[in-house]
Amino acid sequence: MADYQRISHGFDPVFDERSRVLVLGSFPSVLSRENSFYYGNPRNRFWQVMAAVLGEGAPADGDIAAKRALLLRHGVALWDVIESCDVRGSSDASIRNVVPADVARITGAAPIGAVLCNGATAGHLYRRWLEPVTGMPAEVLPSTSPANAAWSLPRLTERWRAVLLAALGSGDAR
């Protein structure tokens, strides 16, 4: 296994003044860091799930502008709980020496009414580092990571749909 490396996040959050829901991951994977954007591993199902839930086609793997626009059109902000940490490769389990993200950068600029965490690690890190700052509990959703093989794409999509649409205030669960 790779040695620990001190890594900084490397790219900005996605949000604007109309963002109503904040989706948080833990920390970008090696592939995401190489691609300089969220969920850069083509096997990660995040973009497929978001597109399906929001009623749009999935953006192409390398189309960062389309991915950003998809989220912003629907009031979704995206970031990670961690700004920097020591980590081995992409292993969330190896994360240590955390510097949390400055979540007030988003919550101070947008009317965030709900926080959703992509996976248990993001949820745990959020509760420890960011919930005391935001004062908002988070809903922890099943991870879209390919490592979460217990959740099929249709099952993930339905779970995310129920929670995300309710958080956005559109109870239409398509």
Side-chain angles (χ1 to χ4, degrees):
M1 181 174 259
D3 289 332
Y4 274 95
Q5 292 183 297
R6 183 76 188 167
I7 305 286
S8 290
H9 192 281
F11 42 94
D12 286 331
V14 174
F15 73 100
D16 66 17
E17 68 281 351
R18 296 166 299 158
S19 299
R20 301 183 317 275
V21 174
L22 174 57
V23 176
L24 293 167
S26 54
F27 190 71
S29 69
V30 170
L31 282 172
S32 295
R33 295 190 306 264
E34 287 173 1
N35 293 316
S36 298
F37 202 64
Y38 302 90
Y39 305 104
N41 181 342
R43 294 184 328 128
N44 191 301
R45 297 162 293 174
F46 181 81
W47 294 110
Q48 292 173 279
V49 168
M50 292 303 287
V53 168
L54 298 172
E56 298 198 28
D61 282 340
D63 194 344
I64 291 171
K67 291 174 178 180
R68 184 182 308 278
L70 169 70
L71 298 176
L72 294 178
R73 271 193 303 279
H74 295 277
V76 177
L78 179 62
W79 208 6
D80 289 309
V81 174
I82 299 172
E83 175 56 37
S84 65
C85 64
D86 296 336
V87 64
R88 286 182 175 158
S90 297
S91 170
D92 277 355
S94 75
I95 291 171
R96 64 182 189 190
N97 300 322
V98 168
V99 173
D102 179 12
V103 74
R105 182 171 167 191
I106 295 176
T107 59
I112 300 297
V115 176
L116 309 180
C117 291
N118 187 356
T121 299
H124 168 76
L125 293 167
Y126 175 82
R127 281 190 291 280
R128 180 171 181 189
W129 298 104
L130 298 182
E131 188 173 340
V133 176
T134 67
M136 288 187 273
E139 175 92 21
V140 178
L141 291 168
S143 174
T144 60
S145 167
N148 183 12
W151 283 75
S152 67
L153 180 59
R155 188 173 171 218
L156 272 174
T157 301
E158 287 309 308
R159 179 70 179 122
W160 277 76
R161 175 178 284 124
V163 174
L164 181 57
L165 293 182
L168 287 169
S170 57
D172 171 26
R174 288 174 229 237

